[in-house]
Structure formats: structure tokens, C-alpha cells
Amino acid sequence: MENITKQDLDNIKNEIISEIKLFLINDFNQNGKRNMDTEWLRSKAVRKILEISPATLQNLRISGKIRSKKILGSYYYNSKDLKSLFENN
């Protein structure tokens, strides 16, 4: 039986955080812009794509017009919801 140290736990935590970031953060396309075909986008990317303020994005989130997830203090938005928002309006 092995003892688990605080350093071991910190290493595991850092690995998990890295995996989550790789899963959620989207790759840039060749033009350096976010790809809307990916599933989840960070707040900054959504604001840049839609050219909206943080308050407008917050209103969309609170009103339920787009889904979001809060992970490690950052919001992520579903790209399908963003596409349907434009198709329906």
C-alpha cells in the first residue's frame, strides 16, 4: 500500500484541469478565428463572434436563449444554441 502525498494530489488535479481545458477549449482555424462547428465556446470567443458586450451575453444566458456551463470560473456556451438563435430570429 502506498501513501498519497499532497504533491500527488496536486499533480492529479493539474492533469484533470488540463484534460478539461483540452476538451472544452476549441482549436483555432487557419484564419485564427474560432470554429463555430465545435460544441462549446468560451465567453470571450462568443462575444467576439457575435460582437456583443459581456452584459448582452449574460442576458442571453440568464434568459435561457443559449445554454451554458460554468467550469473553473469560466462560462462555456453551446454553439448549436448560437446557430439556432440566428436561424430563429
Side-chain angles (χ1 to χ4, degrees), residues 40-76:
W40 294 93
L41 301 168
R42 290 185 72 167
S43 297
K44 186 174 182 179
V46 173
R47 290 194 322 264
K48 185 175 180 180
I49 290 167
L50 300 179
E51 298 179 355
I52 59 175
S53 70
T56 301
L57 183 58
Q58 180 181 8
N59 288 335
L60 290 171
R61 180 179 72 242
I62 291 170
S63 68
K65 292 183 180 177
I66 54 175
R67 289 181 285 170
S68 67
K69 291 183 181 182
K70 187 174 183 180
I71 300 175
L72 301 174
S74 296
Y75 282 99
Y76 295 85

